[in-house]
């Protein structure tokens, strides 16, 4: 990979770096995209996953293990049954988590040049999990950093599974 120090000033980011693959989903009342490199599965929640309440959160059975299940569906849908809900299974700090979303969309390739990153003062007001946004199909798609989205409560669990 080229260094910025010796790069031709006429090169654009998309010529210097390979595109990033993102999975688009509808969740949290917006259109989001997660870096596909951190995802290990996309599935529909079935009875054999057996979601149950564990303490203040939810867990489910996946590939012979119990993993945390986080409900990122829109507020209007959150109170409904979980069976049949679409899930994104993600690896975060060597542990797996299931994220319930409203619906799946397609995977997209994104060049660095396409990503709008909040600048200076705007970055202070953005949630820490927002990595930027892109425009697709006439609307904004927010790029989300899963490690930051999962937050301190889940990080406590992650530290316990090492």
């Amino acid at each position: 990979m080229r260094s910025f120090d010796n790069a031709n000033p006429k090169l654009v980011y998309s010529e210097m770096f390979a595109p990033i693959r993102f999975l688009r989903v509808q969740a949290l009342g917006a259109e989001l995209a997660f870096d596909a490199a951190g995802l290990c599965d996309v599935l529909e929640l079935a009875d054999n996953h057996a979601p149950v309440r564990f303490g203040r959160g939810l867990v489910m059975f996946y590939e012979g293990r119990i993993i945390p299940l986080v409900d990122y569906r829109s507020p209007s849908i959150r109170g409904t049954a979980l069976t049949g809900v679409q899930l994104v299974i993600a690896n975060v700090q060597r542990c797996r988590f299931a994220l319930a979303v409203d619906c799946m969309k397609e995977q997209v390739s994104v060049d660095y040049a396409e990503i709008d990153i909040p600048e200076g003062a705007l970055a202070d007001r953005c949630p820490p999990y927002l990595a930027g946004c892109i425009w697709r199909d006439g609307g904004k798609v927010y790029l989300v950093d899963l490690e930051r989205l999962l937050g301190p409560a889940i990080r406590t669990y992650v530290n316990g599974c090492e």
Side-chain angles (χ1 to χ4, degrees):
M1 184 186 318
R2 296 182 188 139
S3 137
F4 281 110
D5 297 332
N6 63 7
N8 179 343
K10 294 182 181 168
L11 284 176
V12 294
Y13 287 126
S14 58
E15 293 172 339
M16 295 177 68
F17 301 103
I20 306 168
R21 297 283 298 162
F22 284 95
L23 172 67
R24 288 172 59 185
V25 300
Q26 191 74 33
L28 299 174
E31 189 164 339
L32 307 177
F34 304 126
D35 186 351
L39 306 179
C40 66
D41 207 352
V42 175
L43 54 98
E44 200 168 280
L45 189 65
D47 291 335
N48 63 337
H49 295 121
V52 296
R53 186 149 301 280
F54 181 74
R56 291 185 288 176
L58 292 169
V59 295
M60 65 174 265
F61 189 72
Y62 175 75
E63 291 186 343
R65 297 179 58 197
I66 302 294
I67 65 169
L69 170 62
V70 185
D71 193 352
Y72 283 132
R73 295 177 297 164
S74 300
S76 60
I77 299 173
R78 260 193 211 149
T80 62
L82 283 165
T83 304
V85 167
Q86 294 181 324
L87 296 176
V88 175
I89 308 295
N91 288 317
V92 178
Q93 296 184 7
R94 299 188 317 253
C95 292
R96 291 200 174 158
F97 291 87
L99 310 170
V101 298
D102 296 332
C103 70
M104 299 289 174
K105 303 226 174 176
E106 73 281 353
Q107 283 197 12
V108 294
S109 290
V110 177
D111 287 330
Y112 280 94
E114 289 182 79
I115 301 173
D116 291 331
I117 299 172
E119 295 183 17
L122 287 177
D124 293 338
R125 290 183 279 164
C126 287
Y129 57 80
L130 183 64
C133 66
I134 59 171
W135 289 90
R136 283 292 188 280
D137 304 328
K140 268 189 182 180
V141 178
Y142 297 96
L143 307 179
V144 173
D145 180 330
L146 283 175
E147 291 198 22
R148 290 183 178 168
L149 176 67
L150 292 174
I154 293 179
R155 287 183 195 281
T156 301
Y157 171 83
V158 170
N159 291 334
C161 69
E162 291 178 354

